[in-house]
Amino acid sequence: MQFTQILMRNLFSKYIVIGICLIFSGKSFSQSPQTLAQIGLFLNDATVYSDKYVTPATDAAVYQSSAGWMSSAKKRKLFAVTLGVYGNAFLVPKSDRSFEIKNSDFSFFTIQNANSEPISSATVPTALGNEEQYYLVGQLDSNNQIKMQTPKGVGQESIIYPYIQGSISLWKGFEVVGKYSSKVKLKRGNYQVYGLGLKHNFSQYISSLTKHKINLAALFAFSKEDISFDFLDTYTSYGNLGINRITGKVETCQFQISASKEWKKLELMLSSITNRSDFKYFLTGEKGQIEDIIPVQYILNEKLKDIYKAKFNSIWEISGRYQFNKFYVQSSVAFGKFVNTNLSLQYEF
């Protein structure tokens, strides 16, 4: 099966190249073979830059989606319903706000500063970084230069977004949990998360634990995160290249074990979280006339499959939950590679 997939992909790539050559042969370009080669180099460089620019943001999205899944480790009464409004704050580390580029990293582009002067290297923002910009310059052919500014980051030290979460307890100590956020507007971007989880209480089987109000529970959850940013507005004599927005789609499977201790109306909980996330990336935007010559956006999205990846994370989370009447206030901190905080107000029916 794997051999067949590789063979099909290689054949597909050859057909794309043949198709492009045929298209070019029907156009009146003075240096079409050179232009074709330069576009190929441009596609490679755009893929490299996309990976370094967006990956820190999608890594951060995993921490944001992992927070606050389990509000309590204790077993609840049958069909008890809890609804809550949550505010999540992800603290952007300095190390993930920028990356270095060099002329030696590129086959097509060279770097210029804000005064359009050639330079050999620059520190540019990731999607989580600041607004500092440089120019990337390349020559498609003797008459067509591509000169574009590097994309800006969100320019925020923390990314805050609200979402709602609810749960209903079932038989035998099981509980179904769901979370949802509408598309949250970020500075030059959007973020959305939604998912479902299933929790089970284990301390119900150990009387010595329940006697001392110690609770043990496990949770499995699946979530999807969509995060997108303004990317590269690239205009040529062939029109826009259609890559002015980049989107990361993340699917995360999470396993969580939690232990808590109750003191009257206060419950403190410690959780160990392990998750696996699959990352996919897409470029979108207004297509220009170049699409009549070469399907640049489509080919780029095919090339971005080379940077699809899967990652495992190990996260610790500490939370405190206090009850007054039927309301609960809960605060949590998750930490590992990143730090993520969460604050919620919940109501139990």
Side-chain angles (χ1 to χ4, degrees):
M1 178 64 71
Q2 186 175 6
F3 173 78
T4 303
Q5 291 175 342
I6 294 172
L7 178 61
M8 291 298 291
R9 191 163 186 175
N10 288 339
L11 288 172
F12 175 79
S13 299
K14 290 180 181 178
Y15 288 142
I16 285 290
V17 172
I18 292 171
I20 290 171
C21 291
L22 289 173
I23 291 170
F24 263 98
S25 66
K27 300 291 179 179
S28 57
F29 291 102
S30 60
Q31 297 179 356
S32 59
Q34 177 191 355
T35 305
L36 176 60
Q38 289 298 99
I39 288 178
L41 296 178
F42 164 77
L43 295 174
N44 288 331
D45 285 359
T47 302
V48 171
Y49 198 98
S50 300
D51 188 15
K52 293 182 178 181
Y53 175 78
V54 77
T55 293
T58 50
D59 286 347
V62 173
Y63 270 68
Q64 296 176 76
S65 69
S66 301
W69 273 102
M70 193 183 301
S71 57
S72 172
K74 66 183 180 182
K75 179 183 177 182
R76 291 176 175 168
K77 295 179 181 179
L78 184 63
F79 299 135
V81 176
T82 301
L83 290 176
V85 178
Y86 289 69
N88 194 85
F90 173 77
L91 307 181
V92 180
K94 290 184 178 180
S95 60
D96 283 77
R97 298 179 193 176
S98 62
F99 64 99
E100 186 179 15
I101 55 173
K102 301 176 182 178
N103 284 327
S104 58
D105 296 331
F106 300 124
S107 303
F108 177 80
F109 289 123
T110 56
I111 310 166
Q112 293 182 359
N113 62 20
N115 298 319
S116 297
E117 299 168 339
I119 55 177
S120 60
S121 64
T123 299
V124 294
T126 68
L128 299 176
N130 58 29
E131 301 182 359
E132 188 172 6
Q133 290 186 290
Y134 293 84
Y135 288 105
L136 298 176
V137 182
Q139 200 77 25
L140 282 180
D141 55 38
S142 58
N143 298 316
N144 290 281
Q145 184 187 71
I146 292 180
K147 183 175 183 178
M148 57 191 182
Q149 287 184 303
T150 57
K152 300 177 181 180
V154 294
Q156 299 172 220
E157 294 186 358
S158 62
I159 297 175
I160 301 172
Y161 73 95
Y163 65 93
I164 57 173
Q165 182 168 304
S167 65
I168 180 170
S169 59
L170 304 175
W171 301 271
K172 307 294 185 180
F174 284 95
E175 188 173 330
V176 175
V177 186
K179 69 164 58 178
Y180 175 80
S181 77
S182 58
K183 188 174 288 187
V184 178
K185 180 75 174 174
L186 304 175
K187 191 175 181 180
R188 284 180 289 278
N190 296 298
Y191 177 77
Q192 184 177 29
V193 60
Y194 48 94
L196 285 173
L198 181 66
K199 166 196 158 185
H200 184 64
N201 173 273
F202 291 103
S203 54
Q204 62 181 312
Y205 307 118
I206 308 171
S207 57
S208 60
L209 293 179
T210 55
K211 179 181 178 181
H212 292 89
K213 292 191 174 183
I214 297 175
N215 309 292
L216 295 175
L219 176 139
F220 176 81
F222 175 78
S223 62
K224 289 189 174 185
E225 304 92 59
D226 294 343
I227 185 166
S228 61
F229 299 94
D230 296 339
F231 196 46
L232 297 170
D233 281 323
T234 309
Y235 294 91
T236 70
S237 61
Y238 306 129
N240 196 304
L241 296 186
I243 56 174
N244 60 320
R245 197 156 190 84
I246 187 166
T247 298
K249 291 186 178 291
V250 188
E251 293 185 351
T252 299
C253 293
Q254 174 168 317
F255 180 71
Q256 177 174 336
I257 298 177
S258 300
S260 72
K261 171 70 171 128
E262 296 177 78
W263 290 275
K264 295 183 179 180
K265 296 183 178 182
L266 176 66
E267 181 181 9
L268 296 180
M269 183 167 63
L270 175 65
S271 301
S272 173
I273 299 169
T274 302
N275 58 34
R276 181 187 189 275
S277 298
D278 293 300
F279 301 83
K280 296 181 179 181
Y281 307 98
F282 303 91
L283 289 165
T284 59
E286 181 184 353
K287 299 178 181 179
Q289 293 178 348
I290 196 169
E291 294 289 327
D292 296 332
I293 306 166
I294 298 177
V296 171
Q297 188 183 95
Y298 175 79
I299 297 172
L300 259 175
N301 281 327
E302 286 296 306
K303 288 186 66 63
L304 284 181
K305 290 181 179 179
D306 295 338
I307 65 170
Y308 286 8
K309 56 182 72 75
K311 291 185 179 180
F312 287 88
N313 282 289
S314 180
I315 304 169
W316 290 95
E317 185 177 62
I318 300 173
S319 71
R321 188 172 188 248
Y322 186 81
Q323 178 184 7
F324 56 99
N325 297 322
K326 290 190 175 183
F327 287 92
Y328 295 83
V329 174
Q330 185 167 18
S331 178
S332 66
V333 178
F335 52 92
K337 180 182 178 181
F338 303 111
V339 176
N340 190 85
T341 63
N342 196 281
L343 179 66
S344 64
L345 176 64
Q346 307 158 16
Y347 183 83
E348 189 169 296
F349 296 89

